[in-house]
Amino acid sequence: MTKRQDKILGGLLGAAIGDAIGASTETRTIDLIRGRFGGFVTDFVEKPSDNLSRGTVPGYVTDDFSIAYYTACEIIASQSRITEDIAKKALIKWWDDGGYVQFIGPTTRASIMNMKGSNSVDKSNSYKLEVPRVPIACDNEKATNGAGMKTGLIGLFNPGDIDRAIDEAIVMSLPTHNNTIAIAGGTAIAAAAAKAMQPNTSYMEVIQAGIYGAAEGYKRVKGTVNEVCGGNIERRINFAVEIGLRYQNDFEKTVYEVADTVGCGLYAYEAIPAVFAFIAACEGRSMDSICMGINCGDDTDTIACMIGFIVGALHGAQVLPARHLTLINEKNGFNLVSLAKDIDALVAKQEG
């Protein structure tokens, strides 16, 4: 494997590890995680019966990584850059295959049902699509992590090209999360992952790229997508990173402080800043950063997945446990090594 292929594989594997392990701790508080599992979770564990992933085996991913995986496969099949049409085709194929629809979030669900038409059968049995009785100015419930959870993939397709990663992350986000805050979160993750793909990059340079991505993403879509209420992603990343640096290498203090003051929930203005706080606190170390996301409480699988895309690309797959790659491939029917090589080949083709 070349160094670039290893970094691509690292991004894919890091995201899948974070998603699959974080699925076991999702929705719990930090104290409930520690109580249920006898301490912080650092490896695959059985899914609790009161968990959204109940009934699935260790190593099985959720919508967070699987949507990115299906999108990567669709981009490779099309041999082109991401387009809205490719993003939509990937979402519909993901839905129709049915293996991960139980995990779908309400914003993505509503968007897919709209793409498929009003006569479509809802197979998720998770949410009801409720139409507001009166028009509302801002649909603030859609300022969620559904863009950020998948746009780390775009960074892998744009090694070192932060601005193009921002533009393509916007394209990928529009079919499901066409609002200012969700997109700013998505462009922050994509920009950080793109920077992480560049050789000889430090974790602080990656964080700075994420801050730039949040600011630019917001600026590039403001006035053209739906305006929603919520904290400014750029400013909240700066605030969160200060916390991470203040408690650097203190795992317990960092996760509690970030959970209590930044939040680790479903909204992009919480989870995206938390991602960068944990990377700062761990000085960018791959599994340490991912494990902070796994144990921070609330939307753990999404936060750990986003972290994994970034730190996995930063350090490559060689620093991640090989047994995790074997387990994830086996339980999901993936071949992440082959996908990494296909992504690299397409990138090389586009560069040429």
Side-chain angles (χ1 to χ4, degrees):
M1 236 188 186
T2 67
K3 288 185 179 179
R4 187 164 76 179
Q5 288 170 349
D6 182 63
K7 287 171 82 67
I8 295 169
L9 178 60
L12 296 171
L13 179 57
I17 290 171
D19 182 19
I21 302 180
S24 296
T25 58
E26 186 182 13
T27 74
R28 280 176 156 78
T29 65
I30 299 171
D31 288 339
L32 288 176
I33 291 170
R34 299 177 78 176
R36 173 61 178 78
F37 298 103
F40 289 122
V41 175
T42 59
D43 207 335
F44 289 99
V45 292
E46 293 293 329
K47 311 290 176 63
S49 59
D50 59 353
N51 180 272
L52 294 173
S53 298
R54 59 188 176 275
T56 62
V57 297
Y60 199 71
V61 302
T62 76
D63 58 328
D64 296 323
F65 181 75
S66 61
I67 288 178
Y69 179 87
Y70 273 69
T71 304
C73 291
E74 195 64 35
I75 293 171
I76 297 300
S78 301
Q79 287 291 291
S80 82
R81 298 202 172 278
I82 185 73
T83 64
E84 281 194 60
D85 185 55
I86 287 173
K88 289 177 181 178
K89 284 181 179 178
L91 286 165
I92 290 171
K93 185 174 290 187
W94 175 86
W95 174 275
D96 289 341
D97 283 358
Y100 302 96
V101 285
Q102 72 186 82
F103 307 112
I104 194 169
T107 304
T108 300
R109 177 205 166 279
S111 298
I112 292 176
M113 294 300 289
N114 184 59
M115 290 175 207
K116 291 179 69 65
S118 59
N119 295 324
S120 301
V121 177
D122 181 0
K123 299 181 292 183
S124 67
N125 295 317
S126 300
Y127 299 94
K128 283 186 176 180
L129 178 59
E130 296 182 359
V131 179
R133 295 181 181 179
V134 295
I136 53 177
C138 296
D139 196 352
N140 301 320
E141 292 183 355
K142 289 185 169 57
T144 55
N145 296 324
M149 75 182 193
K150 59 192 178 186
T151 52
L153 172 72
I154 295 301
L156 310 186
F157 279 92
N158 291 283
D161 195 335
I162 297 172
D163 282 296
R164 191 165 67 191
I166 291 168
D167 287 337
E168 294 191 357
I170 292 169
V171 172
M172 188 179 187
S173 302
L174 285 173
T176 56
H177 290 76
N178 62 335
N179 67 79
T180 50
I181 289 178
I183 288 176
T187 53
I189 300 298
K195 183 63 179 179
M197 282 293 300
Q198 196 169 29
N200 304 314
T201 298
S202 71
Y203 75 94
M204 284 304 298
E205 289 175 313
V206 166
I207 289 171
Q208 288 301 319
I211 294 169
Y212 172 78
E216 278 296 304
Y218 184 87
K219 183 170 72 175
R220 293 180 195 187
V221 300
K222 185 172 173 58
T224 64
V225 301
N226 296 326
E227 198 82 31
V228 289
C229 301
N232 179 285
I233 302 287
E234 176 195 5
R235 295 177 66 180
R236 286 180 62 83
I237 293 174
N238 275 302
F239 171 70
V241 168
E242 287 178 9
I243 296 172
L245 293 174
R246 186 183 312 142
Y247 300 112
Q248 203 163 58
N249 297 312
D250 188 332
F251 190 103
E252 184 171 334
K253 184 67 176 177
T254 301
V255 292
Y256 276 104
E257 191 71 17
V258 171
D260 287 344
T261 60
V262 177
C264 299
L266 298 171
Y267 291 104
Y269 47 78
E270 291 189 10
I272 304 296
V275 164
F276 292 97
F278 297 144
I279 293 173
C282 296
E283 299 179 286
R285 295 185 301 275
S286 294
M287 281 307 299
D288 288 348
S289 303
I290 292 169
C291 284
M292 276 198 179
I294 289 165
N295 290 281
C296 65
D298 211 341
D299 201 7
T300 52
D301 57 336
T302 305
I303 291 174
C305 179
M306 293 188 287
I307 292 172
F309 270 123
I310 297 167
V311 296
L314 182 62
H315 299 296
Q318 292 185 12
V319 305
L320 298 171
R323 61 189 173 85
H324 288 359
L325 174 62
T326 301
L327 180 67
I328 287 167
N329 277 337
E330 176 188 332
K331 298 306 179 184
N332 297 276
F334 294 160
N335 188 334
L336 296 185
V337 173
S338 177
L339 180 59
K341 291 180 178 179
D342 287 342
I343 292 172
D344 180 59
L346 182 57
V347 170
K349 176 183 174 182
Q350 292 167 344
E351 288 173 340

